[in-house]
Amino acid sequence: MTEKACGMGSRRGRRLRALLVAGMVVLAAAPMTTSSAVQQAPSAQAPSAHASKLSAATGSWSAEVSVEGMGSHRSTLHFTPNHRALVLPPAGPGGGTWKPQGPNRFSFAVVEPMIEDDGTYVGWLDINQRAVLKGDTFVSRGVTHMYDADDQLIVSVQVTINGTRN
């Protein structure tokens, strides 16, 4: 979709584009619902190989977020042991869930509001990513959909995230 076709060339469109670049954060995975993405945290009584896989993604990550055709920005992501995914300010706030996808792999889905400097709500981002862990780093890829304040799809873009554990 071109910038002109989705209204990104207008003054409001340039603001939306700036918000999109500032707000984008995650990889394309199949869309998840809260019920399918959230699982019980592993039991503290019986650690297992599965528990260590679940905890591999937990913690805070510095991320370089690259948005296809729009450049990149820095962000901070946080994954909790009970499968919550957070985008922290200044890129966020945003929240959602993450889930293990096998050895050294996980996916996450986050919804992030887009709010202008004056506090005006202008839309939201639907972020879906699939990540591969390698030690204290991960690379994720996915699609982010941007919606306006009337919930109309504006644009969908490919996003790549390179994360390093804090």
Side-chain angles (χ1 to χ4, degrees), residues 17-143:
R17 180 179 179 191
L19 286 168
L20 174 66
V21 171
M24 296 272 209
V25 231
V26 217
L27 301 168
M32 296 183 289
T33 64
T34 302
S35 61
S36 68
V38 178
Q39 298 176 358
Q40 296 266 340
S43 169
Q45 295 173 333
S48 65
H50 184 66
S52 65
K53 288 177 191 172
L54 289 178
S55 64
T58 60
S60 292
W61 299 81
S62 294
E64 180 71 24
V65 181
S66 299
V67 181
E68 180 182 41
M70 295 185 193
S72 65
H73 67 275
R74 304 285 309 158
S75 185
T76 301
L77 304 174
H78 184 80
F79 302 109
T80 71
N82 64 343
H83 299 271
R84 301 301 192 260
L86 305 170
V87 179
L88 304 177
T97 58
W98 73 273
K99 106 181 204 187
Q101 297 290 330
N104 301 315
R105 296 178 185 277
F106 67 100
S107 61
F108 57 103
V110 175
V111 173
E112 188 175 322
M114 296 187 307
I115 300 174
E116 292 196 359
D117 291 340
D118 67 1
T120 303
Y121 170 73
V122 295
W124 57 283
L125 302 173
D126 181 13
I127 301 163
N128 292 280
Q129 294 282 311
R130 278 198 184 270
V132 176
L133 285 164
K134 204 178 241 186
D136 284 338
T137 65
F138 75 82
V139 175
S140 69
R141 290 182 174 76
V143 175

